[in-house]
Amino acid sequence: MHSSKQRLSVTDDLVKRPIWKSGHDRMRQNYQFTHETVKRLGLDVELEGHTGCVNCLEWNESGTILASGSDDCHINLWNPFRRRLLQSFSTGHSGNIFSVKFLPQSGDNLVISGAGDNVIRVHDLVQKVTVHVLRHHISRVKRLAVAPNTPAIFWSAAEDGTIMQFDLRDPSVFRSSGSRTILVNLNPHIGSQAEAKCLAINPARPELLAVGANDPYVRLYDRRFLKPFALRTSTVGSGQSDGSGNPFGIPFERLSFFTGEGEPPMPTDCVQYFAPGHLPLVPCEYRRRPRSLAATYVNFSEDGRELLVNLGGEQVYLFDIQQSRKPASQLLLDCPAFTGPPVVAGDHLKEHCTKEPNGAKSIRPNGAAIEGHFHRHYPRLNSAGERFKNEANSQFQNGNYSASIRLYASALEQTPDSPVLLTNRAAAYLKRQWDGDVYAALQDCLLALRIEPDYLKVDILQEAHFRMARCLFELSWYQQAHQCLQQFRQRHPEYASNRTFQTLDKEIRTAIYATSDEKSSDTVSFEKDSSSQEDMQDAMTDGPRRSSRKRRRSPSRRGSTEISELEKEWRSKALDYEQRFCGHCNTTTDIKEANFLGSHFICAGSDDGSFFIWDRRTTNIVRVLKGDDSIVNCLQPHPSAPILATSGIDPVVRIWTPLADDEETRISEREVEDPLVAAAANQRRMNADPLEVMLMNMGYRIAMDEADDSDTDESDPSRRVIQCRPS
């Protein structure tokens, strides 16, 4: 089926190519990685030459040379097509190399490297010498970035919390101090513990710079509003030491920290923040877990419209930088099912209630997927969508929630605006309970309700309305959950005596009483429910912030993580994600990448030694391949051919290409047989404590905790006992 559609698409694209602005590039992106090539992707060769972990990979612009940087402080240049090492260059670094880039328009003769010794070096590969040594950072340099068609200029991100810009044509950049190289300083805004982890330049709009740090926010700066400057540093006072000559116990590489004094003010509109909508409201909860949230890699699509983020401690997210997608907490204010005015259903609606097999009326928030009555303008499912939906409902009934989510996504690709598919997938998300699933369920419910805001007779939207209240409760947004449930009761008074409704109502009231302030002005009055927009804005503002006394009283780390007022304003305007890709685990290393495979796929490495490939539209896992004996960190696709280079803890670089159809053994020998089981194991690994992770890495079997899921079926892939990789 794919081949016939593909032939038709190729013909159309060839006809249209002359009138495209960038026809050649679009053709290449569309057909570089297709379903057929990804299906036949297998290990072609292992390039041996390093003696340490390979932390970074970089293709030159033409794709003829692959550069790799390693813990052995060497840069190796490879010709993967001839499977040959061209050159091994000793960089002079004294720390692990984390980033390598070819300088544009240098004839592939100049390479820059950043390392754990806080130093950036510029190397001439022809002369085999280091021509420049830049010692501006005071902590590990984690990423470098270059812009196409912009020679002699590059950018760096380091764990001192700064983004620097270097122009090799400016002699002042070679001075060790006082040079105007600082472009962004995060320390005055998010505290002295700020660490810049990654950065990327938009290839279509080089003025846009994306920055990831040790928090759930990704910052998109417009460099036209920023001017490089020199920073003053403030040395931490002596006299207090941890016994190692280290004042205040600050890490040795940060004996000084940037104060931001003398820094030029940043314009308010110079940056746009992006973050998954459920994460900014629960930072303290994540601090209590044995993992941290940090963006380990950011990357733009070739057309510059989308931003891909590998968020450490969470999932992979795709943001559309040209469409302002508001988070669900703000979309609620525009949802009539949440804010009113209430539409009260009369007794004539009782005949439309969902009926259980025994004839009893029930909301069934935890029950099976349902069919629903459709309004006449709702899109009908085609035969493929109907088949996917029926199979998904069956998987849901059997407790295979990951499989049902996968099938609902495939059905939604056929009919995106189907309330029944959205609501049923929300039910599966609520059952599966992976990180971010509850928020994804809330998004599905909101989208279903936006299709028909003033519904009355559509039972599937009644389910969506009730499940939205359940989602808000499980997100600890208790004020919003209470308001949503009261709106539901006003619309459907016949459900007020329903046991499921009463149980949720009691849980929400109890939670609000338990977490509200002791002051009477902060308690919620249940006798009178306000549905005004002003009250709802107050609830949206105060609810999540006061959702836990423990959160409010939790001390900041070392008293140095207070954020500035400007940072608060930027965060309040953060935009939400478009797509979420689940299955990998990103907690052990902070250099793990995620990348685009052509126009149709996304890939990312994982702590279990595998790398995942997802369908970009449905977010379904397409393949999982074993790429390392420990951890896959780097994945860099070839600029034009269907070739993928990967690396990790092993001291080798692996090249993956589509293999011939008659090489089925080689194609399947590194393929993980059940991707859903691997994904479930990674979700368990991501939430495990350090001791449990150590045992898992040693090969011990860790049973899933089924205390809270007594009704789950053992056939659910996400509930099986995990078989961890051998040591």
Side-chain angles (χ1 to χ4, degrees):
M1 180 176 66
H2 287 301
S3 59
S4 62
K5 289 185 177 180
Q6 183 176 332
R7 284 196 298 269
L8 179 60
S9 298
V10 170
T11 303
D12 290 345
D13 290 347
L14 286 173
V15 171
K16 296 176 183 177
R17 183 174 61 172
I19 64 174
W20 284 349
K21 182 179 179 181
S22 302
H24 175 74
D25 290 341
R26 190 175 303 183
M27 284 282 292
R28 173 178 51 78
Q29 295 170 29
N30 284 338
Y31 300 107
Q32 180 181 4
F33 287 93
T34 65
H35 286 276
E36 290 300 323
T37 56
V38 169
K39 181 181 177 181
R40 294 188 289 111
L41 200 65
L43 180 62
D44 181 51
V45 63
E46 292 184 348
L47 303 176
E48 299 180 356
H50 284 293
T51 59
C53 304
V54 182
N55 303 317
C56 51
L57 300 171
E58 180 72 11
W59 293 93
N60 66 344
E61 186 177 358
S62 62
T64 57
I65 301 175
L66 176 66
S68 59
S70 170
D71 288 356
D72 59 15
C73 301
H74 279 66
I75 293 176
N76 285 1
L77 301 180
W78 311 87
N79 184 334
F81 303 98
R82 296 188 176 184
R83 306 181 179 187
R84 188 160 61 93
L85 176 63
L86 301 176
Q87 182 179 346
S88 184
F89 184 82
S90 179
T91 61
H93 284 294
S94 60
N96 303 345
I97 297 176
F98 291 118
S99 189
V100 171
K101 292 288 181 181
F102 288 95
L103 274 179
Q105 300 184 10
S106 67
D108 299 331
N109 294 332
L110 293 180
V111 171
I112 52 177
S113 59
D117 57 2
N118 314 342
V119 178
I120 300 171
R121 293 176 178 264
V122 183
H123 313 282
D124 188 323
L125 299 178
V126 176
Q127 301 296 328
K128 299 183 179 180
V129 295
T130 299
V131 294
H132 299 299
V133 179
L134 306 173
R135 304 180 185 274
H136 296 265
H137 287 290
I138 62 171
S139 192
R140 300 191 301 173
V141 180
K142 299 309 292 284
R143 291 287 175 185
L144 302 171
V146 295
N149 303 320
T150 307
I153 300 178
F154 63 90
W155 296 263
S156 62
E159 291 180 342
D160 55 19
T162 63
I163 306 300
M164 295 192 182
Q165 176 177 293
F166 298 90
D167 189 340
L168 298 180
R169 299 166 297 185
D170 182 4
S172 66
V173 303
F174 305 118
R175 297 198 302 261
S176 59
S177 62
S179 59
R180 297 181 179 275
T181 58
I182 304 296
L183 196 64
V184 177
N185 179 20
L186 298 176
N187 292 276
H189 301 291
I190 62 177
S192 61
Q193 299 298 319
E195 296 179 356
K197 295 291 187 180
C198 51
L199 79 166
I201 295 288
N202 190 318
R205 298 180 57 189
E207 71 274 11
L208 298 182
L209 169 69
V211 175
N214 55 333
D215 60 20
Y217 295 91
V218 176
R219 299 153 173 86
L220 183 63
Y221 293 95
D222 191 331
R223 294 190 295 110
R224 296 172 296 183
F225 291 86
L226 305 176
K227 184 179 180 179
F229 60 93
L231 257 180
R232 300 177 184 178
T233 59
S234 175
T235 304
V236 179
S238 58
Q240 298 187 39
S241 175
D242 61 357
S244 61
N246 188 351
F248 296 111
I250 295 176
F252 72 94
E253 72 271 17
R254 297 198 64 182
L255 295 180
S256 298
F257 64 92
F258 291 128
T259 64
E261 296 179 2
E263 176 181 336
M266 295 186 69
T268 305
D269 54 353
C270 72
V271 63
Q272 174 62 60
Y273 278 35
F274 297 86
H278 60 291
L279 294 181
L281 301 179
V282 289
C284 294
E285 288 186 3
Y286 277 86
R287 290 195 191 116
R288 289 197 293 267
R289 298 184 184 184
R291 59 172 169 161
S292 59
L293 291 176
T296 62
Y297 196 75
V298 292
N299 190 28
F300 287 97
S301 59
E302 285 200 32
D303 60 7
R305 293 179 55 92
E306 295 173 313
L307 179 62
L308 187 66
V309 179
N310 196 343
L311 189 58
E314 253 273 342
Q315 319 289 2
V316 175
Y317 292 95
L318 185 66
F319 299 90
D320 190 329
I321 67 172
Q322 294 189 2
Q323 292 186 358
S324 300
R325 185 184 180 96
K326 296 180 181 180
S329 57
Q330 297 181 25
L331 293 178
L332 283 170
L333 299 176
D334 300 325
C335 179
F338 177 74
T339 60
V343 181
V344 181
D347 294 337
H348 64 282
L349 293 180
K350 293 182 180 180
E351 59 182 297
H352 297 284
C353 299
T354 304
K355 296 185 178 181
E356 297 295 334
N358 59 4
K361 295 168 185 174
S362 172
I363 306 171
R364 297 196 301 178
N366 298 316
I370 60 179
E371 297 297 326
H373 300 294
F374 290 98
H375 199 274
R376 61 184 178 184
H377 64 265
Y378 290 161
R380 288 184 173 273
L381 298 179
N382 57 24
S383 57
E386 191 69 31
R387 184 175 67 254
F388 283 132
K389 187 198 75 171
N390 293 336
E391 190 175 348
N393 291 350
S394 177
Q395 294 286 356
F396 185 97
Q397 292 283 5
N398 294 331
N400 300 327
Y401 304 119
S402 293
S404 66
I405 290 171
R406 176 188 180 94
L407 291 164
Y408 285 134
S410 298
L412 282 165
E413 185 181 19
Q414 304 289 327
T415 312
D417 297 327
S418 171
V420 66
L421 294 177
L422 291 167
T423 306
N424 286 354
R425 187 171 66 171
Y429 278 138
L430 284 170
K431 279 289 190 178
R432 190 175 68 170
Q433 291 286 324
W434 286 4
D435 287 336
D437 273 359
V438 175
Y439 185 77
L442 175 62
Q443 288 182 316
D444 279 354
C445 291
L446 276 169
L447 183 56
L449 290 169
R450 289 177 67 182
I451 296 173
E452 183 63 61
D454 297 322
Y455 77 93
L456 281 178
K457 299 183 179 181
V458 185
D459 58 355
I460 189 65
L461 296 181
Q462 295 173 3
E463 296 283 341
H465 195 165
F466 186 82
R467 283 178 184 147
M468 185 168 72
R470 168 61 66 180
C471 292
L472 293 169
F473 172 72
E474 295 195 15
L475 286 169
S476 299
W477 301 358
Y478 303 131
Q479 300 282 2
Q480 297 90 315
H482 171 69
Q483 173 64 20
C484 182
L485 196 62
Q486 300 317 306
Q487 282 289 333
F488 181 86
R489 178 164 58 183
Q490 290 178 356
R491 285 174 176 252
H492 311 289
E494 68 273 16
Y495 289 127
S497 60
N498 181 278
R499 181 178 300 178
T500 304
F501 177 93
Q502 292 178 344
T503 300
L504 179 59
D505 188 35
K506 182 178 179 180
E507 290 175 344
I508 293 173
R509 292 168 181 264
T510 302
I512 292 178
Y513 276 125
T515 58
S516 62
D517 294 336
E518 296 180 359
K519 297 180 181 180
S520 59
S521 60
D522 291 332
T523 58
V524 178
S525 174
F526 293 106
E527 289 78 12
K528 183 177 181 180
D529 298 308
S530 172
S531 60
S532 68
Q533 186 78 3
E534 181 179 357
D535 291 342
M536 281 304 94
Q537 290 176 345
D538 293 340
M540 294 299 302
T541 303
D542 298 337
R545 205 167 52 226
R546 296 177 317 183
S547 59
S548 173
R549 277 188 209 170
K550 292 183 180 180
R551 284 184 216 162
R552 191 179 65 252
R553 297 178 181 178
S554 177
S556 60
R557 183 175 53 174
R558 294 181 183 172
S560 60
T561 57
E562 294 183 1
I563 64 176
S564 67
E565 292 301 319
L566 194 56
E567 177 74 11
K568 293 177 182 178
E569 180 180 351
W570 287 330
R571 292 186 177 188
S572 67
K573 299 177 181 178
L575 300 179
D576 209 351
Y577 66 87
E578 290 289 334
Q579 299 278 20
R580 182 180 67 122
F581 304 91
C582 302
H584 82 313
C585 179
N586 181 11
T587 57
T588 305
T589 59
D590 61 354
I591 57 173
K592 206 168 279 93
E593 299 176 354
N595 236 313
F596 296 92
L597 288 182
S599 299
H600 309 296
F601 302 97
I602 301 293
C603 64
S606 179
D607 287 341
D608 63 350
S610 303
F611 65 91
F612 284 68
I613 300 176
W614 294 273
D615 185 283
R616 188 168 169 179
R617 292 190 61 184
T618 65
T619 73
N620 288 337
I621 299 173
V622 178
R623 293 190 72 190
V624 180
L625 297 168
K626 195 69 174 177
D628 195 275
D629 287 341
S630 298
I631 298 172
V632 176
N633 285 322
C634 306
L635 303 97
Q636 289 296 323
H638 188 273
S640 57
I643 300 173
L644 178 66
T646 67
S647 67
I649 303 301
D650 296 342
V652 299
V653 177
R654 292 182 169 90
I655 304 297
W656 307 77
T657 62
L659 303 179
D661 291 334
D662 57 358
E663 297 183 280
E664 293 184 2
T665 302
R666 290 183 60 196
I667 294 175
S668 61
E669 65 181 355
R670 283 186 168 266
E671 184 171 16
V672 176
E673 293 184 1
D674 195 332
L676 296 182
V677 172
N682 280 330
Q683 293 298 311
R684 171 73 179 190
R685 182 189 299 268
M686 196 157 56
N687 289 281
D689 60 57
L691 176 60
E692 188 173 341
V693 172
M694 182 183 69
L695 294 175
M696 294 169 71
N697 291 338
M698 293 172 61
Y700 285 89
R701 295 166 61 91
I702 308 297
M704 301 293 287
D705 184 8
E706 298 179 351
D708 298 330
D709 295 284
S710 58
D711 60 338
T712 59
D713 192 293
E714 292 183 359
S715 62
D716 180 12
S718 65
R719 300 295 177 184
R720 296 178 190 170
V721 175
I722 300 172
Q723 177 61 57
C724 303
R725 73 171 169 80
S727 174

